[in-house]
Amino acid sequence: MPAKQLKKSTLAIAALGLIGLPALALHTKNAGPAEVKIKFNLPPPAPLSPEEALKTFKVEDGFRMELVAAEPLIEAPMAISFDDQGRLYVVEMRGYMRDMEGSTEGEPTGRIKLLEDTDGDGRMDKGTVFVDELVMPRSVMAVNGGALVAVPPNLFFCKDTDGDGKADVKEIVATDYGTAGGQPEHMANTPTWALDNQIWSAGYSSRFRLRGGVWQKDAGLGRGQYGLCQDDQGRLYFNYNSDLLRCDLLPTEAFSRNPLLRNATSVNAKVVTDQTVWPSHPTPGVNRGYDEKTLREDGTLSTATATCGALIYRGDAFPAEYYGNAFIPEPSANLVKRMIVSEKDGIVTADNATQDREFLTSTDERFRPVQATNAPDGSVYIVDMYRGIIQHTSFLTHYLIANIEARKLDQPIDQGRIWRIVPDNQKSVKATRVPAETSERIAMLSHANGWVRDTAQRLLVESADATAAPALTALVQSKDAKPLARLHALWTLDGLASLAPDTLRSVLKDDDVTLKAAAVRLAGRDLAPELLALTGETDALVQAQLAIKLSSINLPDTDVALAKLLATSGSNLLIREGAMTGLRGREDAFAKMLAEVSTPENDTQTAPVFELLGNLIAMAGKALPFEETLTLAAAQPKGSKVQASLIKGLANPAGGSSKSAAKPKLLWLEKEPESLAALKASVTSKSSTGEFAKISARLAWVGKPGAPQPPKIVPLNEAQQARFEKGKVIYAGLCAACHQPHGYGLDGLAPPLVDSEWVLGKPDITARIVLHGLAGPVKVSGRTWNLAMPPLPHLTDEDVASVVTYLRREWEHNASPVEPEAITKLRAEFKDRVGMWTSDELLHKK
């Protein structure tokens, strides 16, 4: 039954509080029960004017809500960003869910509006269409005199050069920023200029940097769903729809160096354990309302289900105790939560500021807060989409559709508000504008408002004004300046490529640990002697940054220092994970070095490190390092913590954190290793016995009882070897940016190719993907990727055969090569193919 035909029957039965007819759910794989019951027979809520909506808010004592902008000045606001003059860029996603089929999402009705407060009363009164005719725009970020605008699959830089408020420049920065026509709640969003002068995004695995007006792209990690912000130290915060807050505790780019650290806790760290929410009115219209655990007896949502757009408050308008708090919108529950963020030994956690009530709630069911942001006036701004339907069509359940129809939540669709939260004692609102003079911008780095500091730093870096360096250096070295001002000055110097080694040397000796940790992060190989002198440092964040840096330098002295650091502090999760970021491919050698300094007195520190090293070696799936580590384990004292940790690590290639991980591949050895028998005799505990059995089952050699026939490795002939070399060049130019030179892929962008069943299976499948592309979802090594691999039709048959041969023989792969004639035959067989393949089509073709 079409959704529009449900309306009459739904309304009639809703009067009885029961629906006996199946409603239409567009998310067919997880639509919930077809027979649904509306649990709370509430009357359809009337749409409210901004003035009426204002009366529905209940905000924490000492604060009030103010209207900044509303329809008709803005429509369907999704995201905002302030420029340095206090003007406000607004994303208007006007094509989103105008009906339950989402039938208008392909129309170019979206736009970016530029709002101004011309009379200084704190209310926006002028709106100019900055960019229009956009299909489902996603995000905006003020930068470089213009704005980055996300319109999947593109990220544009748009700029007004003639002063009329309308963009006349529109340059493409990236073409992989989401997917055209994809799920809007699962695509790249919220580009954010962070303290490190990198532009990071949620749901996107690359980062950008602006140097001399040129956009540079580099690897990162994909995490988060919608929304991104930072704290004073530059740590990135984000969330998922049912997970209120997460954080990258350590620099994200470090973890992109080791693709096997996908399960690291130091990035994408869970900050909040209690996902409880307390709406101020019944909220039956949530997607899983049919589940008994979703709604309380009073009809209120019990735990978060649509969390997005979180904020770490860094303004100067609220009382001091609110600084650093997290403000988290939950649009399905019509509320904004406040949480108190704490840190201990580098680990960040957050707890509810109050119990049984929230910082901000509304009884208006159309109040849909989707983003909270710091503002130039020190307050908190809230973006309110103001609509009934918030769930995307592809995820609508029978239950939610019934509620929408019964309670007339499908209309209106072209409204939206932006609100400001201010203290009651603040009578007037005055935004800070960042001046154009370099000296005044440097002074702004000492401002109490984090938005002002961030913007001043960004403008200084964008200016590329090298004359700012002396004053910035003086600020960094000033003992009288605020530590935060010195930190911003340090990163500004780095952004200007004007950070002198002597300046870093002085900061490495500073008493402020935040500054010292930043200096370690910024130090190069030339400062290795100074870094070695810090191994006695006791602060966890400094130690973690030091572990990252020492492992990346990869010199004998730095490796020895790293081993000594872990022998005293390896039990700290951040420090041991930081150490692993630069050890890819040499974990077994480092394990031997660590064993030399490990003793019964420090094994509490080293044992967790050995387990992690074992995890990574097992995950890499290479026979020689695995055997070397097995020998190391056998050489440890019988029943020792170190031995048990190595065994546990080698037995758990997924680190014990992934139940869906694929079965690890068999490792072929030349003969039965002597260490295996020695290790078996050393194993005493029940747990170690089971783990040893996993290790033994993974190893194979000729003559081992029950082992299959060893793989037959046929050497490449001269022509095939030539194609392999050609394929290597093609891969480096076309494929490595996404799948990476190491072949382990990039989170959120490209799955791994190493040991992939798609690469090592039937050669025609890999070739067909290269020829026509592959549209997700696709399961690779036990993990599902919902991405698209574009076709490469410009490659010749010789090119395709070369790159597929390379994939099937690189990274210790032993699969058969591919001949150009086979590609010619495939191209002819599927000459009429237009769309990308799906995994089902490829797997079920006879």
Side-chain angles (χ1 to χ4, degrees):
M1 184 187 298
K4 293 181 179 178
Q5 294 178 12
L6 283 172
K7 191 169 186 178
K8 292 182 179 178
S9 62
T10 302
L11 287 174
I13 302 173
L16 303 175
L18 180 68
I19 292 183
L21 295 176
L24 171 68
L26 302 181
H27 185 14
T28 57
K29 290 186 178 180
N30 193 15
E35 302 291 334
V36 297
K37 177 182 178 181
I38 295 182
K39 300 179 180 179
F40 302 92
N41 189 20
L42 302 177
L48 303 180
S49 68
E51 292 73 24
E52 292 171 328
L54 195 59
K55 299 176 183 178
T56 71
F57 292 124
K58 184 178 182 180
V59 66
E60 192 169 303
D61 290 346
F63 295 88
R64 70 176 186 271
M65 297 285 287
E66 294 182 345
L67 183 67
V68 175
E71 69 278 355
L73 186 64
I74 55 171
E75 299 175 20
M78 178 67 185
I80 61 175
S81 181
F82 288 97
D83 74 359
D84 55 285
Q85 297 306 302
R87 299 183 303 174
L88 194 60
Y89 290 100
V90 181
V91 176
E92 295 185 327
M93 199 161 71
R94 300 195 299 166
Y96 181 74
M97 294 300 292
R98 298 178 73 86
D99 53 46
M100 282 192 288
E101 294 83 7
S103 62
T104 64
E105 291 191 355
E107 299 175 5
T109 57
R111 60 192 182 190
I112 307 298
K113 188 77 70 67
L114 184 58
L115 303 185
E116 298 178 69
D117 173 13
T118 61
D119 57 11
D121 66 350
R123 182 93 172 250
M124 298 294 176
D125 49 60
K126 179 182 178 181
T128 306
V129 177
F130 182 66
V131 188
D132 62 358
E133 298 184 358
L134 305 177
V135 178
M136 295 288 284
R138 190 78 175 104
S139 299
V140 66
M141 186 192 87
V143 65
N144 203 30
L148 287 175
V149 176
V151 187
N154 297 315
L155 180 65
F156 297 102
F157 173 66
C158 304
K159 189 172 184 176
D160 165 28
T161 61
D162 57 14
D164 64 356
K166 301 178 180 180
D168 45 68
V169 171
K170 188 178 181 182
E171 303 171 349
I172 291 181
V173 176
T175 58
D176 61 351
Y177 206 79
T179 305
Q183 302 294 347
E185 61 186 88
H186 290 286
M187 285 195 288
N189 64 84
T190 321
T192 302
W193 186 300
L195 183 65
D196 61 2
N197 302 305
Q198 309 277 348
I199 297 173
W200 299 91
S201 302
Y204 187 63
S205 58
S206 297
R207 55 192 160 116
F208 301 96
R209 189 159 190 163
L210 183 62
R211 283 193 178 276
V214 177
W215 298 99
Q216 299 176 344
K217 186 178 180 181
D218 206 345
L221 290 177
R223 66 276 182 274
Q225 189 163 341
Y226 176 74
L228 189 71
C229 63
Q230 68 172 344
D231 63 11
D232 280 346
Q233 293 188 24
R235 287 178 292 217
L236 300 175
Y237 291 79
F238 41 91
N239 48 26
Y240 300 88
N241 54 15
S242 298
D243 194 329
L244 288 164
L245 196 63
R246 292 203 172 209
C247 176
D248 285 345
L249 302 174
L250 293 177
T252 309
E253 72 275 6
F255 287 81
S256 67
R257 293 201 297 263
N258 192 339
L260 298 181
L261 281 172
R262 297 191 189 280
N263 295 322
T265 305
S266 301
V267 288
N268 203 10
K270 197 175 187 70
V271 174
V272 174
T273 56
D274 181 3
Q275 309 297 334
T276 305
V277 294
W278 293 286
S280 59
H281 70 116
T283 55
V286 294
N287 211 29
R288 300 286 179 265
Y290 58 82
D291 189 320
E292 292 182 0
K293 296 180 181 179
T294 299
L295 299 175
R296 299 184 180 94
E297 291 185 1
D298 62 359
T300 59
L301 184 67
S302 59
T303 58
T305 186
T307 297
C308 55
L311 163 72
I312 300 299
Y313 179 67
R314 301 168 59 229
D316 59 346
F318 288 14
E321 62 267 27
Y322 290 81
Y323 195 91
N325 286 189
F327 290 82
I328 309 171
E330 216 302 355
S332 286
N334 319 118
L335 59 82
V336 176
K337 175 180 283 289
R338 178 170 77 92
M339 306 199 81
I340 298 174
V341 180
S342 305
E343 177 190 332
K344 182 178 181 181
D345 294 332
I347 304 295
V348 175
T349 57
D351 298 295
N352 290 301
T354 55
Q355 291 293 320
D356 303 324
R357 67 183 189 276
E358 302 290 2
F359 178 79
L360 167 64
T361 61
S362 172
T363 56
D364 183 359
E365 199 164 346
R366 289 180 174 83
F367 171 58
R368 303 295 194 183
V370 292
Q371 184 188 24
T373 185
N374 287 298
D377 59 20
S379 68
V380 171
Y381 274 51
I382 303 294
V383 179
D384 173 12
M385 287 189 77
Y386 202 80
R387 53 172 24 251
I389 302 178
I390 194 72
Q391 184 73 59
H392 189 253
T393 179
S394 297
F395 299 105
L396 286 171
T397 60
H398 296 298
Y399 173 87
L400 184 53
I401 288 175
N403 274 272
I404 291 170
E405 291 281 1
R407 306 187 58 239
K408 301 180 181 179
L409 292 173
D410 55 333
Q411 295 294 326
I413 51 178
D414 289 325
Q415 297 184 322
R417 293 90 194 255
I418 298 171
W419 305 95
R420 173 175 48 235
I421 305 172
V422 297
D424 273 338
N425 60 8
Q426 183 173 316
K427 296 181 180 180
S428 61
V429 173
K430 187 175 182 181
T432 300
R433 297 187 177 187
V434 181
E437 292 296 324
T438 296
S439 60
E440 294 183 65
R441 288 176 175 175
I442 293 174
M444 287 288 186
L445 298 179
S446 300
H447 202 280
N449 186 345
W451 180 90
V452 175
R453 296 194 303 274
D454 293 348
T455 305
Q457 176 181 325
R458 173 176 63 80
L459 293 171
L460 286 164
V461 173
E462 287 174 356
S463 74
D465 184 3
T467 64
L472 288 167
T473 301
L475 178 56
V476 169
Q477 296 177 335
S478 172
K479 299 299 182 182
D480 297 325
K482 299 176 182 177
L484 271 178
R486 299 174 62 205
L487 183 64
H488 278 280
L490 183 71
W491 280 108
T492 305
L493 283 169
D494 177 67
L496 291 169
S498 299
L499 184 55
D502 284 344
T503 304
L504 272 177
R505 287 189 180 94
S506 66
V507 181
L508 286 172
K509 299 176 182 178
D510 204 272
D511 293 334
D512 187 275
V513 293
T514 299
L515 276 164
K516 187 181 294 186
V520 172
R521 182 179 173 186
L522 287 166
R525 293 170 67 93
D526 56 318
L527 294 182
E530 287 78 4
L531 294 171
L532 293 174
L534 290 176
T535 52
E537 176 63 48
T538 57
D539 180 77
L541 278 177
V542 176
Q543 287 181 314
Q545 293 287 0
L546 189 59
I548 291 172
K549 187 62 65 174
L550 291 174
S551 69
S552 70
I553 294 176
N554 190 13
L555 292 173
D557 287 348
T558 54
D559 281 354
V560 169
L562 179 61
K564 291 180 179 179
L565 175 64
L566 293 171
T568 59
S569 306
S571 63
N572 183 290
L573 177 70
L574 302 187
I575 297 169
R576 68 174 178 271
E577 286 190 346
M580 299 302 115
T581 60
L583 293 179
R584 186 176 66 86
R586 56 194 188 95
E587 293 92 345
D588 56 325
F590 185 79
K592 294 177 184 177
M593 181 178 293
L594 184 61
E596 293 176 1
V597 296
S598 182
T599 66
E601 289 71 31
N602 65 23
D603 60 8
T604 301
Q605 300 295 331
T606 59
V609 184
F610 281 116
E611 181 179 340
L612 183 53
L613 287 165
N615 290 154
L616 298 176
I617 292 165
M619 205 181 304
K622 306 306 176 188
L624 182 58
F626 195 97
E627 186 176 4
E628 290 288 331
T629 310
L630 203 64
T631 301
L632 177 64
Q636 302 309 303
K638 181 178 179 180
S640 66
K641 286 184 179 180
V642 170
Q643 185 180 73
S645 297
L646 283 169
I647 292 173
K648 185 176 181 180
L650 290 174
N652 294 280
S657 60
S658 178
K659 295 181 180 179
S660 61
K663 182 180 179 180
K665 72 174 184 178
L666 203 60
L667 301 179
W668 281 91
L669 308 179
E670 292 185 2
K671 61 180 181 179
E672 180 178 4
E674 296 179 2
S675 57
L676 196 62
L679 196 58
K680 184 177 182 179
S682 297
V683 170
T684 55
S685 70
K686 184 176 180 181
S687 59
S688 293
T689 300
E691 289 157 353
F692 176 81
K694 292 181 182 179
I695 293 172
S696 181
R698 191 176 182 188
L699 300 177
W701 55 87
V702 176
K704 180 182 180 181
Q709 289 295 315
K712 186 178 180 181
I713 303 173
V714 180
L716 300 178
N717 61 35
E718 185 176 347
Q720 292 165 344
Q721 184 63 39
R723 277 194 288 274
F724 174 90
E725 298 299 334
K726 182 178 183 181
K728 185 175 184 178
V729 175
I730 294 172
Y731 179 85
L734 290 179
C735 315
C738 294
H739 292 285
Q740 298 294 288
H742 46 60
Y744 282 102
L746 202 58
D747 274 5
L749 184 61
L753 301 175
V754 176
D755 298 329
S756 166
E757 62 270 38
W758 293 88
V759 171
L760 301 178
K762 296 180 180 179
D764 69 295
I765 289 182
T766 313
R768 286 158 61 193
I769 293 173
V770 174
L771 288 171
H772 297 107
L774 174 65
V778 58
K779 183 170 283 189
V780 183
S781 301
R783 181 181 177 191
T784 299
W785 299 72
N786 195 7
L787 302 166
M789 154 77 184
L792 300 172
H794 63 285
L795 295 182
T796 66
D797 294 351
E798 172 79 18
D799 292 340
V800 175
S802 297
V803 75
V804 174
T805 294
Y806 172 75
L807 297 178
R808 290 168 64 81
R809 295 301 284 246
E810 179 65 330
W811 306 305
E812 296 187 15
H813 292 168
N814 296 312
S816 60
V818 176
E819 303 297 326
E821 292 78 12
I823 306 301
T824 303
K825 184 178 179 180
L826 281 173
R827 201 186 289 273
E829 181 180 357
F830 299 106
K831 66 180 186 304
D832 296 326
R833 180 79 190 184
V834 176
M836 298 180 185
W837 296 107
T838 65
S839 61
D840 286 343
E841 287 177 316
L842 291 171
L843 293 176
H844 293 111
K845 182 181 182 297
K846 296 181 180 179

